[in-house]
């Protein structure tokens, strides 16, 4: 399985000989799942059908999309928990720090700077990334930066990253432990993790971390975690299309 970045550039080598890589894209891969619309149906129908609810495993869930919509609309949430999706995510560390705010229904395992030497791959915003914040918290918006602002951002970030990684390598070469040396590395460093969730926890995440025209409650996510959320959403939409449709039809509010 390849984890090649969607966009990357290589810089000249640092004084220590390691070439820094710069990326503007995150990647999300669905590596394992047990998730289908029928999972919602048998979980919901056990309350009235008992063991006969197992028959839902053999039925076409399309026949019961009205039940899925009812559960979503009236916020009967537990039937949406009987499924699982595991994603492999490559993103800057600051994105993962935001991820950790989502704790209910999530499991995480991230690569460790204590046990391996971290690779010099760093985040630099792409040309489409809005750079300028206007307004005040709760009412601000982001607008496009100028060409000069984009040039400045890329140049300053890349220079800072190179210096930080050179300091990291210098300490490692002197025998300083990885867990100590990593302290000089910035949150723009790319990391990777496995994240496992169910549909209910993912819906809550998407409601907060993506913007969507059908959302009943506005959200103001940082663009980089939104890029992760958009890719996770695309995978989930293919696995549970009826549940996904009901989520959108009911304002993208987690039940």
């Amino acid at each position: 399985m390849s984890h090649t970045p969607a966009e990357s550039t290589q810089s000249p080598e640092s004084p220590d000989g390691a070439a820094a890589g710069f990326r503007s894209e995150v990647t999300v891969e669905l590596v394992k799942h047990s998730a289908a619309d029928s999972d919602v149906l048998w979980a919901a129908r056990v309350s009235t059908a008992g063991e006969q609810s197992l028959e839902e495993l053999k039925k076409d869930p399309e026949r019961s999309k009205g039940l899925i919509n009812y559960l979503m609309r009236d916020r009967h949430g537990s039937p949406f928990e009987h499924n699982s999706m595991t994603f492999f995510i490559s993103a800057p560390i600051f994105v993962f720090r935001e991820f950790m705010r989502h704790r209910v229904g999530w499991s995480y395992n991230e690569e460790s700077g204590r046990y391996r030497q971290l690779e010099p791959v760093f985040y630099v915003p792409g040309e489409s990334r809005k750079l300028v914040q206007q307004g005040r918290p709760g009412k601000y918006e982001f607008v496009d930066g100028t060409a000069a602002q984009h040039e400045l951002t890329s140049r300053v970030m890349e220079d800072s990253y190179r210096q930080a990684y050179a300091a990291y390598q210098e300490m490692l070469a002197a025998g300083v432990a990885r867990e100590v040396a990593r302290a000089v590395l910035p949150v723009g460093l790319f990391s990777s993790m496995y994240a496992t969730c169910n549909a209910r926890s993912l819906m809550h995440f998407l409601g907060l971390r993506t913007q969507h025209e059908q959302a009943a409650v506005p959200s103001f996510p940082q663009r980089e975690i939104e890029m992760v959320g958009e890719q996770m959403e695309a995978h989930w939409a293919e696995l549970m299309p009826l549940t996904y449709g009901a989520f959108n039809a009911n304002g993208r509010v987690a039940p």
Side-chain angles (χ1 to χ4, degrees):
M1 182 180 298
S2 173
H3 303 304
T4 302
E7 292 185 15
S8 64
T9 59
Q10 293 292 325
S11 74
E13 288 189 351
S14 70
D16 294 45
F22 304 113
R23 290 174 51 178
S24 60
E25 295 297 324
V26 302
T27 58
V28 177
E29 298 180 35
L30 178 67
V31 297
K32 181 180 179 182
H33 70 87
S34 174
D37 290 316
S38 57
D39 298 332
V40 179
L41 298 173
W42 53 253
R45 288 205 161 111
V46 71
S47 61
T48 57
E51 63 185 22
Q52 293 180 352
S53 60
L54 291 170
E55 296 176 3
E56 293 297 331
L57 293 170
K58 302 176 183 179
K59 294 181 179 179
D60 180 3
E62 182 73 30
R63 298 170 53 191
S64 299
K65 63 181 181 180
L67 173 59
I68 292 176
N69 188 71
Y70 160 75
L71 295 169
M72 191 77 69
R73 184 195 67 209
D74 286 15
R75 306 192 72 182
H76 296 288
S78 58
F80 297 100
E81 297 176 1
H82 296 271
N83 55 82
S84 177
M85 293 164 279
T86 298
F87 301 93
F88 183 81
I89 303 169
S90 180
I93 289 174
F94 66 81
V95 170
F96 291 168
R97 298 297 79 81
E98 288 197 311
F99 246 106
M100 301 309 171
R101 297 175 182 270
H102 298 269
R103 298 181 292 276
V104 179
W106 287 88
S107 297
Y108 304 107
N109 280 93
E110 184 181 352
E111 69 176 280
S112 173
R114 297 184 67 194
Y115 302 120
R116 63 168 300 187
Q117 180 173 331
L118 299 172
E119 297 298 320
V121 180
F122 301 95
Y123 175 75
V124 175
E127 294 182 359
S128 63
R129 202 331 179 163
K130 298 179 186 298
L131 292 183
V132 180
Q133 178 180 323
Q134 296 180 339
R136 58 185 175 83
K139 290 185 178 296
Y140 59 75
E141 63 176 355
F142 285 87
V143 298
D144 293 330
T146 64
Q149 288 172 321
H150 276 281
E151 187 280 329
L152 172 69
T153 299
S154 296
R155 174 171 50 81
V156 171
M157 280 187 166
E158 291 177 12
D159 288 346
S160 178
Y161 290 151
R162 291 190 188 98
Q163 293 176 18
Y165 199 78
Y168 174 66
Q169 287 188 307
E170 182 179 1
M171 284 190 284
L172 293 179
V176 177
R178 288 184 294 265
E179 66 183 42
V180 177
R182 64 178 174 171
V184 301
L185 295 174
V187 294
L189 181 76
F190 266 78
S191 186
S192 60
M193 74 170 179
Y194 290 102
T196 299
C197 62
N198 59 56
R200 189 183 192 186
S201 55
L202 180 58
M203 284 186 277
H204 183 262
F205 176 89
L206 295 175
L208 292 172
R209 301 298 183 178
T210 62
Q211 294 183 338
H212 197 280
E213 61 183 6
Q214 291 180 272
V217 180
S219 180
F220 306 94
Q222 183 164 341
R223 178 56 189 152
E224 287 74 17
I225 197 169
E226 185 179 35
M227 293 192 298
V228 173
E230 288 169 349
Q231 293 186 47
M232 297 173 75
E233 180 171 345
H235 287 298
W236 173 54
E238 292 186 4
L239 297 175
M240 304 178 71
L242 300 181
T243 302
Y244 178 65
F247 174 59
N248 285 323
N250 288 279
R252 294 175 65 88
V253 177

